[in-house]
Amino acid sequence: MFITRAAIVLLSMGAAAAAAPSQAETIQVSIDRLVYLPAEIEAKVGDEVEWINRDALVHTATVEGGADVLLPANKTGRLVLQEAGSFDYICRYHPNMKGRITVRP
Amino acid sequence: MTIKLTTAAAAIALLFSTGGALGNDKPTDPQIAHIAYTAGVLDVEAAKQAIATSKNKTVVEFAESMLRDHESVNKQALDLVKKLNVTPEDNDTSKSLSQAAEAKRQELAKLKGGEFDKAYIEHEVAYHKQVNGALETLLIPSAQNAELKSLLETGLKLFQGHQQHAEHVAAALK
């Protein structure tokens, strides 16, 4: 009886452990004096990027022909990554600001 | 036409070259603060003219971003000079910049539609290019105070961004 119960507990834990790796994460990128930090990040599909704009300037995180996240002065903006690939992004207002997100499946 | 369009830029280039309005002397921090602040104010005024005149969405959006950014940086500059107890000092470079900007404003006032858009954006490219050159070669190296130097360096990165933004808009107008 005792053994059976223990086996059930173990099974439950096993199921929980198997589900854990797919949990989405939030990756933070700060912006300080017109620089994305870190400039390059790696993530997986379903993860979220949070840009923390520490400048008193409005920025964006814009992928040409794709996502366009507005980042108001001293505020944050978020984006859920929905497809795998490597994406270069810039700030529309200051195109000398450059970043890259590599998204694994 | 191109020569006319770059009048202000040429004036800056002349002023910052050796033998210009500042002579061979390096500008002092109070003079640098005044020049940088004036350059920002003039671009804000140009942006206001563009917002009032242009009907092109991309041009108006560009002008709005110039207005927003230069006002923000100038606010930081004012906070800094107040903190440092520095009084910005008017000088020949600031005066010439203002005169060139007024001439440009009048020149642009005669233009409409696509002609205005093109002339305004081309001037923005040239203006930022020249101000960036002055920041790199004269204003930043001459600045004595570390905080002023740091603000000018951030300003340079920002204005380089503006120059690229203006170049993108100019390319889109062609």
Side-chain angles (χ1 to χ4, degrees):
Chain A
M1 188 68 171
F2 175 77
I3 292 165
T4 313
R5 274 190 186 167
I8 292 167
V9 170
L10 279 172
L11 271 174
S12 308
M13 284 171 72
S22 64
Q23 200 173 358
E25 286 177 37
T26 297
I27 299 152
Q28 294 187 329
V29 176
S30 72
I31 300 173
D32 188 12
R33 284 175 281 187
L34 296 107
V35 176
Y36 297 113
L37 279 173
E40 295 193 18
I41 55 167
E42 288 194 6
K44 54 188 187 301
V45 171
D47 284 353
E48 184 179 54
V49 182
E50 181 184 46
W51 284 274
I52 303 158
N53 183 5
R54 301 189 197 281
D55 284 345
L57 303 162
V58 181
H59 294 304
T60 73
T62 306
V63 178
E64 199 180 342
D68 183 25
V69 184
L70 186 69
L71 308 168
N74 298 307
K75 294 230 160 62
T76 61
R78 289 158 170 267
L79 176 71
V80 175
L81 304 168
Q82 287 168 340
E83 69 181 291
S86 183
F87 303 95
D88 288 324
Y89 67 92
I90 59 163
C91 168
R92 269 193 290 128
Y93 301 123
H94 317 102
N96 53 340
M97 292 172 63
K98 293 181 169 77
R100 178 180 289 168
I101 307 170
T102 303
V103 189
R104 299 188 308 274
Chain B
M1 189 64 174
T2 312
I3 292 166
K4 265 192 186 173
L5 289 172
T6 55
T7 308
I12 303 168
L14 187 69
L15 288 165
F16 290 120
S17 62
T18 48
L22 288 166
N24 293 320
D25 298 331
K26 283 184 171 184
T28 62
D29 282 4
Q31 287 174 334
I32 292 169
H34 199 278
I35 294 166
Y37 187 82
T38 303
V41 166
L42 297 175
D43 205 51
V44 165
E45 286 171 7
K48 285 179 179 169
Q49 184 184 22
I51 292 164
T53 310
S54 182
K55 293 188 169 49
N56 182 304
K57 197 180 156 231
T58 310
V59 172
V60 171
E61 199 194 17
F62 171 82
E64 284 170 347
S65 67
M66 290 306 108
L67 180 74
R68 199 169 58 218
D69 283 3
H70 284 288
E71 278 187 342
S72 171
V73 169
N74 269 4
K75 189 186 170 294
Q76 287 179 53
L78 280 186
D79 290 347
L80 179 63
V81 295
K82 202 172 164 188
K83 181 185 155 196
L84 299 176
N85 214 7
V86 166
T87 306
E89 186 185 306
D90 199 2
N91 55 80
D92 288 347
T93 304
S94 296
K95 286 192 182 89
S96 301
L97 276 175
S98 300
Q99 282 164 9
E102 177 55 23
K104 175 56 67 179
R105 195 192 64 75
Q106 288 181 17
E107 192 184 308
L108 288 173
K110 293 173 191 152
L111 304 175
K112 281 178 187 163
E115 276 200 347
F116 172 89
D117 294 338
K118 211 161 163 271
Y120 165 66
I121 293 296
E122 280 182 14
H123 177 64
E124 285 296 297
V125 172
Y127 184 74
H128 281 94
K129 199 182 272 181
Q130 293 298 336
V131 169
N132 289 339
L135 279 166
E136 271 177 305
T137 60
L138 185 73
L139 302 180
I140 291 172
S142 302
Q144 296 299 309
N145 180 276
E147 283 183 81
L148 176 64
K149 201 186 267 281
S150 167
L151 184 61
L152 293 170
E153 281 163 351
T154 304
L156 174 61
K157 212 181 292 172
L158 175 66
F159 304 161
Q160 284 170 338
H162 288 172
Q163 187 187 323
Q164 282 189 25
H165 189 188
E167 283 165 353
H168 288 188
V169 178
L173 289 178
K174 277 179 184 165

